[in-house]
């Protein structure tokens, strides 16, 4: 075992014996190359010249006036592919290349992680197979085309509910048989060690840039940093740099879906009835499940927040009270989507709109000079169809 597999009692490596050699090889490689000069130089060059980093930290002047505090937006929507997922996809694809792997596999739900992975694989010249549930393939055609254009092979999954969790199962099955030449590229701070630690590491560039940028612009730390939480990678990515500053409040916003009482949501922390300690896809954390351990299907208007488990490090941060977690419903997120588009001319991803939705509530306890930073994890172009329909706009 290399590295720390646990976050307090959370995390770990709950996988069949057959996957252990692959995970041990990955642990060795990650902890070796994260200190390697050539690897870091190449990764940083990719982030700068391909992804377009650093992404700006934008002062939202009109929103600030409206909410009577200083609101800044970290613009991951301006990263290549339009969201933060590319940071992790490129980091891991580069690691795969250094490990001598020729093929990358990944699962995808809405197709956002599949797209980032396919694009990273194209850039680095690796073969790429993406597992995707048949139901999701039907729902997310544009992302299927994007993946195919980037040269990836999209493999339909017809087992179970034919959605994300079945695609993950297929992916793990493939990897157990093919790990000699294949790299499994996981999309969030989930899964068995070292994935939660590794994905957080590749996403921590968001927080390092933000801290530098806010100090340059304002000369002081923010009062709060707010991010939406699906698996939790964009949130951990921006939180990391602020963890040592105890006065900076860290707030994660989960998907409240149709409301906590309906059970149709992805609020693993907020729903005390069905959000329970459990194991899903190799890690121990809060999972939406019944008392027998059967996983509930989640619901959210934003595909990226629609997963039954939350990254294990968030469970620890919550226990430690270092981060606080709340939720926004579909309705609140949609109205935030509309509001930010109109007030600032920035169309956020529906995922990011959950973090924006919490802003007015938070701003009530702020003074004029208090700084609040929201991680705008992605842009909303992908969500226009859903948003137009839900908001009842005329086509
Ligand atoms: C996938 C996605 C998310 C949710 O994933 P995290 O791992 O929680 O960051 C949030 N925002 C956007 C734009 C996404 O594509």
């Amino acid at each position: 075992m290399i590295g720390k597999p646990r976050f307090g009692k959370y995390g770990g490596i709950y996988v069949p014996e057959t996957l252990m050699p692959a995970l041990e090889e990955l642990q060795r490689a990650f902890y070796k190359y994260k200190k390697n000069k050539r690897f870091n130089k190449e990764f940083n060059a990719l982030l700068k010249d391909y992804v377009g980093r650093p992404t700006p930290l934008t002062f939202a002047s009109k929103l600030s006036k409206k909410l009577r505090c200083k609101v800044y937006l970290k613009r991951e929507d301006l990263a290549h592919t339009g969201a933060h997922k590319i940071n992790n996809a490129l980091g891991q694809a580069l690691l795969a290349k250094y490990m001598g792997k020729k093929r990358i596999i990944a699962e995808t739900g809405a197709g956002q992680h599949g797209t980032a992975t396919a694009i990273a694989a194209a850039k680095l010249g690796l073969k790429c197979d993406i597992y995707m549930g048949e139901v999701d393939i039907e729902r997310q055609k544009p992302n299927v085309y994007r993946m195919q254009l980037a040269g990836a092979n999209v493999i339909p999954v017809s087992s179970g509910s034919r959605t994300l969790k079945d695609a993950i199962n297929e992916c793990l099955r493939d990897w157990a048989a093919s790990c000699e030449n294949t790299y499994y590229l996981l999309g969030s701070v989930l899964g068995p060690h070292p994935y939660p630690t590794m994905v957080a590491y590749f996403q921590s560039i968001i927080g390092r840039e933000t801290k530098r940028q806010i100090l340059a612009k304002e000369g002081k730390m923010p009062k709060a940093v707010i991010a939406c939480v699906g698996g939790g990678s964009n949130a951990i990515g921006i939180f990391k740099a602020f963890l040592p500053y105890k006065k900076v409040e860290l707030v994660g916003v989960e998907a409240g879906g149709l409301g906590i009482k309906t059970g149709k949501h992805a609020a693993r922390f907020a729903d005390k009835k069905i959000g329970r300690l459990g194991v899903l896809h190799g890690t121990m954390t809060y999972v939406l499940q019944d008392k027998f351990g059967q996983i509930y299907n989640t619901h959210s208007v934003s595909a990226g927040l629609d997963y039954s488990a939350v990254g294990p490090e968030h469970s620890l941060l919550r226990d430690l009270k270092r981060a606080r977690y709340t939720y926004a419903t579909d309705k609140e997120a949609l109205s935030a989507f509309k509001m930010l588009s109109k007030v600032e001319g920035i169309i956020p991803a529906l995922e990011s709109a959950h973090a924006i939705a919490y802003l007015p509530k938070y701003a009530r306890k702020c003074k004029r000079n208090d700084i609040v930073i929201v991680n705008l994890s992605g842009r909303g172009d992908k969500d226009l169809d859903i948003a137009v329909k839900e908001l009842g706009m005329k086509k």
Side-chain angles (χ1 to χ4, degrees):
M1 183 75 49
I2 304 173
K4 266 176 48 187
R6 291 253 185 215
F7 306 91
K9 66 181 172 189
Y10 307 105
I13 311 179
Y14 295 85
V15 298
E17 206 66 39
T18 48
L19 279 177
M20 283 311 293
L23 285 171
E24 279 168 4
E25 187 194 0
L26 181 58
Q27 289 158 19
R28 276 194 300 278
F30 169 61
Y31 287 101
K32 176 177 162 192
Y33 288 116
K34 111 191 237 276
K35 293 182 303 204
N36 179 285
K37 255 202 177 135
R38 198 162 62 91
F39 178 87
N40 281 299
K41 203 170 151 204
E42 200 172 337
F43 183 45
N44 288 331
L46 281 167
L47 289 178
K48 179 166 176 276
D49 300 324
Y50 187 66
V51 178
R53 305 206 71 93
T55 57
L57 183 69
T58 303
F59 178 57
S61 54
K62 287 171 68 199
L63 191 55
S64 297
K65 200 173 254 174
K66 192 172 143 100
L67 299 179
R68 296 163 196 272
C69 63
K70 289 184 167 173
V71 178
Y72 280 86
L73 304 172
K74 179 59 173 166
R75 302 294 304 281
E76 292 302 292
D77 59 316
L78 295 180
H80 178 46
T81 70
H84 69 292
K85 285 195 172 72
I86 190 71
N87 304 324
N88 169 55
L90 268 177
Q92 287 196 58
L94 189 63
L95 181 62
K97 202 170 144 181
Y98 274 69
M99 290 170 77
K101 307 289 179 191
K102 303 283 182 246
R103 172 178 176 252
I104 285 183
I105 54 173
E107 78 287 335
T108 197
Q112 295 300 109
H113 173 55
T115 302
T117 301
I119 279 168
K123 177 66 184 161
L124 295 175
L126 298 160
K127 187 174 167 343
C128 181
D129 288 326
I130 304 288
Y131 285 94
M132 189 168 186
E134 282 178 343
V135 171
D136 290 331
I137 288 181
E138 255 338 285
R139 283 194 292 207
Q140 309 286 346
K141 275 276 148 86
N143 275 335
V144 174
Y145 298 142
R146 279 185 196 111
M147 288 184 261
Q148 288 171 339
L149 278 169
N153 178 30
V154 180
I155 305 174
V157 175
S158 57
S159 55
S161 59
R162 301 181 288 148
T163 57
L164 177 62
K165 62 182 183 345
D166 314 290
I168 297 178
N169 291 335
E170 284 304 315
C171 217
L172 287 169
R173 225 185 316 259
D174 180 321
W175 199 37
S178 67
C179 61
E180 202 157 322
N181 73 348
T182 296
Y183 183 97
Y184 175 27
L185 206 159
L186 206 148
S188 190
V189 284
L190 293 159
H193 177 69
Y195 285 106
T197 301
M198 178 165 68
V199 176
Y201 175 76
F202 288 133
Q203 291 293 5
S204 61
I205 182 75
I206 305 174
R208 286 201 304 278
E209 286 176 6
T210 306
K211 187 180 130 195
R212 198 178 66 224
Q213 290 165 321
I214 200 65
L215 288 176
K217 283 175 197 289
E218 292 278 352
K220 67 171 187 175
M221 282 287 173
K223 181 175 167 71
V225 176
I226 303 173
C228 66
V229 181
S233 68
N234 84 88
I236 287 283
I238 196 165
F239 287 176
K240 277 270 166 189
F242 295 97
L243 278 177
Y245 303 89
K246 297 278 152 58
K247 281 197 176 145
V248 180
E249 242 185 287
L250 306 174
V251 186
V253 184
E254 295 184 290
L258 300 180
I260 299 304
K261 283 195 193 115
T262 66
K264 294 193 181 338
H265 56 71
R268 291 78 30 126
F269 290 141
D271 192 331
K272 304 220 164 28
K273 243 173 49 208
I274 60 172
R276 294 189 172 91
L277 187 61
V279 169
L280 184 62
H281 297 126
T283 193
M284 182 179 286
T285 184
Y286 278 84
V287 181
L288 291 176
Q289 57 186 325
D290 68 16
K291 62 177 185 239
F292 305 109
Q294 288 301 303
I295 306 303
Y296 275 108
N297 284 327
T298 49
H299 166 87
S300 170
V301 69
S302 68
L305 303 185
D306 211 349
Y307 184 66
S308 313
V310 61
E313 193 169 4
H314 286 289
S315 296
L316 176 63
L317 289 176
R318 179 170 172 260
D319 281 5
L320 295 174
K321 298 194 162 55
R322 181 61 194 92
R324 186 159 65 73
Y325 296 83
T326 179
Y327 64 91
T329 61
D330 285 357
K331 222 173 130 192
E332 290 170 324
L334 282 160
S335 99
F337 176 93
K338 196 171 165 186
M339 184 277 290
L340 192 69
S341 303
K342 182 153 183 220
V343 174
E344 290 292 335
I346 296 171
I347 303 176
L350 277 174
E351 290 84 0
S352 325
H354 285 71
I356 299 289
Y358 179 64
L359 244 186
K361 296 183 195 174
Y362 187 85
R364 266 183 237 137
K365 61 177 178 183
C366 288
K367 299 196 196 76
R368 284 254 182 211
N369 279 328
D370 286 342
I371 301 164
V372 183
I373 299 176
V374 179
N375 195 16
L376 210 75
S377 54
R379 67 172 182 232
D381 307 52
K382 68 182 177 63
D383 297 318
L384 286 184
D385 276 349
I386 297 178
V388 162
K389 194 170 130 229
E390 297 282 336
L391 290 168
M393 290 160 68
K394 290 236 165 55
K395 280 213 191 184

